[in-house]
Amino acid sequence: MKYFPYLYKSLGTVWLILTLYSCGLTNRYQAPVTDTYGLYRGDDPYQEDTTTIAHIPWRAYFSDPLLRLLIDEGIYNNYDMGIAYTRIQQAEANLSIARGAWFPNVALSAGVTHSRTSNGERGRDVLGYHTNQYSLGVAATWEADIWGKIAATSRAQYAQLLSSYAYRNLVQTSLIANIATSYYTLLALDEQLKITLETIVLLKKSSETMEALKDAGMLTGAAVEQSNALLYSTEVTVPDLLTQIQQTENSLCQLIGRNPGPIIRGNLHNQVVQPQLAHGIPMQMLARRPDVSQAELAFRSSFKSVQAARAAFYPSITLNSGTVAGLASTTLSHFFKPENIIVNILGGAVQPLFAQRQLTGNLKLARAQQEEALLTFESTVLSAGVEVSNILYSYQSSLSKNSIREQQIESLLTAVYYTQELLKAGEANYTEVLTAEQNLLSALLSRVSDKLEQLQYSVTLYRALGGGVE
């Protein structure tokens, strides 16, 4: 008994050494450091204005109540969102499996062992002696996570779970942006159809005027036919616009998980284009964008996988009982007597010897995957910065066209009126009237396209900054 304290001290020392060494195998995770200096082109790299539209909930960012209803329906019914939720469930199940390795495996064990041996001289009673062993009990196995292999695997699966949530957020932000973009496109097509139909009415009146002037001997038949040709070329665009409207409605129905059909909607004039969209600083975008979060979590998972692969080189400390507690007897008649109770506890350490090539390959693979994940993360950050920079510049550039477009339309309205009056007075050529009318229609349609472009930029910037996740 006097040697037991020394034994306990020795075992305690060994355990302390193993614990300290295992800490070296499970280094704390640190997120990759990314330089965001100058990530937004044209911005002051030292600006500290953290106001950003990404912090605005999507229900507040989109003011059109009909659009909000469509987004709500899409989040609830969209199939990609449903798939994203199933991925979360899969990740939760994998995490549960990984965490289960912390606990012992316990199972009911029952068996019969029949043995035959030789019991006599050579050539006699070969395999003549036999015995039976009956057992019933509870078996358990458990591995001590000395090197952090189980912990690293569990943390890698936890990172995968977080990644599945980031994927869900990525699907949601993309879905919101796609629904809003399709909705605005539908409103723009409605407005273009309205302008085209109104222009057709005016062109018909112009053709009637040309016909009257021809009857008065002031114009030739060529002028009338040219006017009719412009009318027909405008009318022929109507079926195409109607087709685009129906196709956009169907696409929007698909996004919200609804069968193809009409979409209840507002009008383009009620949609407000903001003169300035706050975008904050790059670090906010990195913290909110789901694809950046996904890339960082993939790196975290690969980091833990490297730790697990490294820990696989060291011994596995296991408790393997066979049968922890139960009954064992050579006969069934006295099987349940107290003297047949058995208790087994067997501990062991297994050190890999002939699997080094495989373990080395696994470690190299894990390190390469970690390097790939790091490069993917850095590439994702750079792509995000380029996307935001392009949207910011394009949005401001598109806004700068508004005043010029209004001046163009005002001038063309005046030109159409003047040329029509001069034509009636015989002081203008009919081609001048047709050209002015055609240019006016083109400018009116372009104004609609300009507003659609700006609305779409406001949506894409909101998504690019990580807006839409609540």
Side-chain angles (χ1 to χ4, degrees), residues 447-459:
R447 181 170 63 182
V448 174
S449 297
D450 292 342
K451 186 166 185 178
L452 172 61
E453 182 181 68
Q454 290 153 24
L455 288 170
Q456 289 178 336
Y457 280 138
S458 68
V459 173

PDB file of all heavy atoms in Angstrom, residues 447-459:
ATOM      1  N   ARG A 447     -36.518  56.618 -70.247  1.00  0.00           N
ATOM      2  CA  ARG A 447     -36.706  57.131 -68.881  1.00  0.00           C
ATOM      3  C   ARG A 447     -37.216  56.025 -67.952  1.00  0.00           C
ATOM      4  O   ARG A 447     -36.800  55.928 -66.791  1.00  0.00           O
ATOM      5  CB  ARG A 447     -37.677  58.307 -68.881  1.00  0.00           C
ATOM      6  CG  ARG A 447     -37.900  58.911 -67.500  1.00  0.00           C
ATOM      7  CD  ARG A 447     -38.671  60.218 -67.542  1.00  0.00           C
ATOM      8  NE  ARG A 447     -40.022  60.036 -68.073  1.00  0.00           N
ATOM      9  CZ  ARG A 447     -40.890  61.047 -68.243  1.00  0.00           C
ATOM     10  NH1 ARG A 447     -40.528  62.289 -67.903  1.00  0.00           N
ATOM     11  NH2 ARG A 447     -42.086  60.820 -68.741  1.00  0.00           N
ATOM     12  N   VAL A 448     -38.122  55.202 -68.484  1.00  0.00           N
ATOM     13  CA  VAL A 448     -38.594  54.063 -67.699  1.00  0.00           C
ATOM     14  C   VAL A 448     -37.435  53.108 -67.401  1.00  0.00           C
ATOM     15  O   VAL A 448     -37.280  52.619 -66.277  1.00  0.00           O
ATOM     16  CB  VAL A 448     -39.727  53.326 -68.441  1.00  0.00           C
ATOM     17  CG1 VAL A 448     -40.106  52.050 -67.693  1.00  0.00           C
ATOM     18  CG2 VAL A 448     -40.940  54.229 -68.597  1.00  0.00           C
ATOM     19  N   SER A 449     -36.605  52.846 -68.410  1.00  0.00           N
ATOM     20  CA  SER A 449     -35.454  51.955 -68.226  1.00  0.00           C
ATOM     21  C   SER A 449     -34.479  52.516 -67.209  1.00  0.00           C
ATOM     22  O   SER A 449     -33.885  51.771 -66.421  1.00  0.00           O
ATOM     23  CB  SER A 449     -34.754  51.724 -69.566  1.00  0.00           C
ATOM     24  OG  SER A 449     -35.607  51.079 -70.479  1.00  0.00           O
ATOM     25  N   ASP A 450     -34.307  53.851 -67.215  1.00  0.00           N
ATOM     26  CA  ASP A 450     -33.414  54.486 -66.250  1.00  0.00           C
ATOM     27  C   ASP A 450     -33.895  54.245 -64.819  1.00  0.00           C
ATOM     28  O   ASP A 450     -33.110  53.889 -63.933  1.00  0.00           O
ATOM     29  CB  ASP A 450     -33.326  55.986 -66.508  1.00  0.00           C
ATOM     30  CG  ASP A 450     -32.609  56.313 -67.806  1.00  0.00           C
ATOM     31  OD1 ASP A 450     -31.896  55.433 -68.324  1.00  0.00           O
ATOM     32  OD2 ASP A 450     -32.775  57.438 -68.304  1.00  0.00           O
ATOM     33  N   LYS A 451     -35.191  54.451 -64.597  1.00  0.00           N
ATOM     34  CA  LYS A 451     -35.717  54.259 -63.241  1.00  0.00           C
ATOM     35  C   LYS A 451     -35.632  52.801 -62.828  1.00  0.00           C
ATOM     36  O   LYS A 451     -35.295  52.489 -61.667  1.00  0.00           O
ATOM     37  CB  LYS A 451     -37.157  54.747 -63.164  1.00  0.00           C
ATOM     38  CG  LYS A 451     -37.710  54.716 -61.740  1.00  0.00           C
ATOM     39  CD  LYS A 451     -38.995  55.486 -61.598  1.00  0.00           C
ATOM     40  CE  LYS A 451     -39.443  55.537 -60.134  1.00  0.00           C
ATOM     41  NZ  LYS A 451     -40.673  56.326 -59.948  1.00  0.00           N
ATOM     42  N   LEU A 452     -35.928  51.885 -63.749  1.00  0.00           N
ATOM     43  CA  LEU A 452     -35.798  50.466 -63.439  1.00  0.00           C
ATOM     44  C   LEU A 452     -34.357  50.138 -63.075  1.00  0.00           C
ATOM     45  O   LEU A 452     -34.099  49.395 -62.118  1.00  0.00           O
ATOM     46  CB  LEU A 452     -36.253  49.630 -64.635  1.00  0.00           C
ATOM     47  CG  LEU A 452     -36.003  48.116 -64.521  1.00  0.00           C
ATOM     48  CD1 LEU A 452     -36.756  47.529 -63.336  1.00  0.00           C
ATOM     49  CD2 LEU A 452     -36.391  47.411 -65.821  1.00  0.00           C
ATOM     50  N   GLU A 453     -33.420  50.661 -63.823  1.00  0.00           N
ATOM     51  CA  GLU A 453     -31.994  50.429 -63.569  1.00  0.00           C
ATOM     52  C   GLU A 453     -31.620  50.887 -62.170  1.00  0.00           C
ATOM     53  O   GLU A 453     -30.921  50.173 -61.423  1.00  0.00           O
ATOM     54  CB  GLU A 453     -31.176  51.166 -64.619  1.00  0.00           C
ATOM     55  CG  GLU A 453     -29.679  50.985 -64.508  1.00  0.00           C
ATOM     56  CD  GLU A 453     -28.962  51.782 -65.587  1.00  0.00           C
ATOM     57  OE1 GLU A 453     -28.998  53.040 -65.513  1.00  0.00           O
ATOM     58  OE2 GLU A 453     -28.387  51.160 -66.492  1.00  0.00           O
ATOM     59  N   GLN A 454     -32.103  52.043 -61.770  1.00  0.00           N
ATOM     60  CA  GLN A 454     -31.759  52.591 -60.457  1.00  0.00           C
ATOM     61  C   GLN A 454     -32.410  51.797 -59.329  1.00  0.00           C
ATOM     62  O   GLN A 454     -31.798  51.560 -58.276  1.00  0.00           O
ATOM     63  CB  GLN A 454     -32.174  54.067 -60.401  1.00  0.00           C
ATOM     64  CG  GLN A 454     -31.321  54.950 -61.291  1.00  0.00           C
ATOM     65  CD  GLN A 454     -32.042  56.201 -61.775  1.00  0.00           C
ATOM     66  OE1 GLN A 454     -32.997  56.661 -61.151  1.00  0.00           O
ATOM     67  NE2 GLN A 454     -31.590  56.763 -62.895  1.00  0.00           N
ATOM     68  N   LEU A 455     -33.643  51.360 -59.534  1.00  0.00           N
ATOM     69  CA  LEU A 455     -34.294  50.518 -58.536  1.00  0.00           C
ATOM     70  C   LEU A 455     -33.556  49.186 -58.383  1.00  0.00           C
ATOM     71  O   LEU A 455     -33.386  48.677 -57.269  1.00  0.00           O
ATOM     72  CB  LEU A 455     -35.751  50.274 -58.938  1.00  0.00           C
ATOM     73  CG  LEU A 455     -36.701  51.473 -58.802  1.00  0.00           C
ATOM     74  CD1 LEU A 455     -38.034  51.159 -59.461  1.00  0.00           C
ATOM     75  CD2 LEU A 455     -36.904  51.848 -57.335  1.00  0.00           C
ATOM     76  N   GLN A 456     -33.126  48.633 -59.502  1.00  0.00           N
ATOM     77  CA  GLN A 456     -32.398  47.364 -59.448  1.00  0.00           C
ATOM     78  C   GLN A 456     -31.036  47.530 -58.772  1.00  0.00           C
ATOM     79  O   GLN A 456     -30.603  46.652 -58.015  1.00  0.00           O
ATOM     80  CB  GLN A 456     -32.235  46.804 -60.856  1.00  0.00           C
ATOM     81  CG  GLN A 456     -33.529  46.297 -61.467  1.00  0.00           C
ATOM     82  CD  GLN A 456     -33.377  45.798 -62.882  1.00  0.00           C
ATOM     83  OE1 GLN A 456     -32.451  46.190 -63.598  1.00  0.00           O
ATOM     84  NE2 GLN A 456     -34.288  44.941 -63.316  1.00  0.00           N
ATOM     85  N   TYR A 457     -30.368  48.657 -59.019  1.00  0.00           N
ATOM     86  CA  TYR A 457     -29.104  48.908 -58.329  1.00  0.00           C
ATOM     87  C   TYR A 457     -29.317  49.038 -56.823  1.00  0.00           C
ATOM     88  O   TYR A 457     -28.489  48.571 -56.026  1.00  0.00           O
ATOM     89  CB  TYR A 457     -28.436  50.178 -58.865  1.00  0.00           C
ATOM     90  CG  TYR A 457     -27.699  49.985 -60.169  1.00  0.00           C
ATOM     91  CD1 TYR A 457     -27.796  50.934 -61.191  1.00  0.00           C
ATOM     92  CD2 TYR A 457     -26.900  48.867 -60.389  1.00  0.00           C
ATOM     93  CE1 TYR A 457     -27.121  50.764 -62.397  1.00  0.00           C
ATOM     94  CE2 TYR A 457     -26.226  48.694 -61.582  1.00  0.00           C
ATOM     95  CZ  TYR A 457     -26.343  49.643 -62.582  1.00  0.00           C
ATOM     96  OH  TYR A 457     -25.674  49.466 -63.772  1.00  0.00           O
ATOM     97  N   SER A 458     -30.409  49.670 -56.413  1.00  0.00           N
ATOM     98  CA  SER A 458     -30.684  49.802 -54.974  1.00  0.00           C
ATOM     99  C   SER A 458     -30.923  48.431 -54.345  1.00  0.00           C
ATOM    100  O   SER A 458     -30.560  48.207 -53.183  1.00  0.00           O
ATOM    101  CB  SER A 458     -31.893  50.711 -54.754  1.00  0.00           C
ATOM    102  OG  SER A 458     -33.089  50.103 -55.214  1.00  0.00           O
ATOM    103  N   VAL A 459     -31.519  47.517 -55.103  1.00  0.00           N
ATOM    104  CA  VAL A 459     -31.747  46.155 -54.600  1.00  0.00           C
ATOM    105  C   VAL A 459     -30.435  45.378 -54.531  1.00  0.00           C
ATOM    106  O   VAL A 459     -30.127  44.725 -53.523  1.00  0.00           O
ATOM    107  CB  VAL A 459     -32.759  45.418 -55.494  1.00  0.00           C
ATOM    108  CG1 VAL A 459     -32.869  43.948 -55.084  1.00  0.00           C
ATOM    109  CG2 VAL A 459     -34.129  46.075 -55.425  1.00  0.00           C
TER     110      VAL A 459
END
